[in-house]
Amino acid sequence: MSLSSSIDFQRGGPLVELAKGRPVREVLEGGRLKGGMLRSHLRWLQEHHPDDVDRILGTLPADLSREIGAVLLVSSWYPFATLIHFDRAIAGAFGGDETLRELGRHSARINLSTTYKALDRDTNHDFFEHSALVHRQFQDFGTVAYERGAGGGRIVHSDYPCFSRIFCASAIGYYEATIKSHGAQRAQVQETECQCFGDRSCTFEMRWY
């Protein structure tokens, strides 16, 4: 299934400028993630739409439905494709792009206060620098670099063999909630480059106040 067949990400706003008329590409094979993200997204669905959990799982291929419906371990590896198919089903049913961002926010709130609390740091700069260093503990693909700036910073995801606008939308929400968890009153996150549009990286510019 193509991304554009289920969710329209190009209804105005920053994404149109980012796309510049280029087609959206998506590659789902070639990477794995630890289970914390997948488990937090399932928890969001269970908390916000408990009566729809079985229906959403039922829209997935049988093997994915069984995998997600079983016990999800934060220490286990899961295919990138599993997360994208699951998030696509959730967003398609409950609000598209904004729901994907909320999944990312929920993941940050849950994981940084529980499972990955030991990895947190006192400031946004320190957290993002540390997060880039330990990236491979949670994803077995790509590289991440963080650059400090005045009033914010830039995080650059490069050399990803698999990528999806669904993943990037969730990442924006994750970064927004992470920034606020370190004391900021406002967070602005914008993706300025994206591999889904043929760019060399997925780059997120972040500012906080």
Side-chain angles (χ1 to χ4, degrees), residues 3 6-7 9 21 28 38 44 49 53 62 64 72 79 93 111 125 130 146 149-150 166 178 193:
L3 177 63
S6 57
I7 302 172
F9 285 92
L28 299 185
L38 192 57
W44 181 91
H49 301 279
V53 174
L64 297 187
L72 293 171
N111 288 320
H125 286 311
H130 183 67
Y146 178 68
I166 286 175
T178 296
E193 293 187 348

Side-chain angles (χ1 to χ4, degrees), residues 26-206:
E26 183 180 72
V27 177
L28 299 185
E29 304 302 323
R32 300 177 303 162
L33 312 97
K34 284 289 180 69
M37 188 182 304
L38 192 57
R39 191 169 76 166
S40 67
H41 292 191
L42 175 60
R43 183 169 169 180
W44 181 91
L45 180 61
Q46 291 169 332
E47 291 178 1
H48 292 272
H49 301 279
D51 295 334
D52 295 296
V53 174
D54 290 342
R55 178 175 67 85
I56 295 300
L57 292 178
T59 67
L60 302 173
D63 56 336
L64 297 187
S65 180
R66 287 193 298 269
E67 184 175 39
I68 296 170
V71 177
L72 293 171
L73 302 175
V74 297
S75 59
S76 295
W77 291 99
Y78 297 88
F80 178 80
T82 298
L83 175 72
I84 300 307
H85 285 308
F86 185 43
D87 285 0
R88 175 181 280 122
I90 295 173
F94 303 117
D97 190 28
E98 180 54 33
T99 296
L100 291 169
R101 293 189 185 210
E102 186 53 35
L103 289 175
R105 296 180 192 115
H106 191 74
S107 181
R109 289 191 292 263
I110 293 296
N111 288 320
L112 294 181
S113 64
T114 56
T115 307
Y116 303 138
K117 187 174 182 178
L119 299 176
D120 202 1
R121 294 296 184 269
D122 292 335
T123 70
N124 280 311
H125 286 311
D126 290 341
F127 172 80
F128 288 123
E129 286 174 344
H130 183 67
S131 179
L133 290 174
V134 301
H135 166 76
R136 281 290 182 145
Q137 294 184 26
F138 307 101
Q139 295 179 202
D140 69 354
F141 59 95
T143 62
V144 176
Y146 178 68
E147 305 167 11
R148 293 189 180 213
R154 174 187 298 119
I155 194 158
V156 182
H157 301 252
S158 305
D159 303 318
Y160 275 38
C162 47
F163 44 83
S164 170
R165 285 302 310 160
I166 286 175
F167 193 64
C168 291
S170 174
I172 289 174
Y174 177 86
Y175 291 140
E176 288 172 347
T178 296
I179 289 169
K180 290 185 177 180
S181 76
H182 294 103
Q185 297 298 310
R186 295 182 59 192
Q188 294 180 346
V189 181
Q190 181 177 359
E191 189 174 19
T192 55
E193 293 187 348
C194 184
Q195 286 189 233
C196 300
F197 296 124
D199 295 321
R200 297 183 62 180
S201 68
C202 293
T203 298
F204 299 86
E205 302 283 350
M206 304 179 289

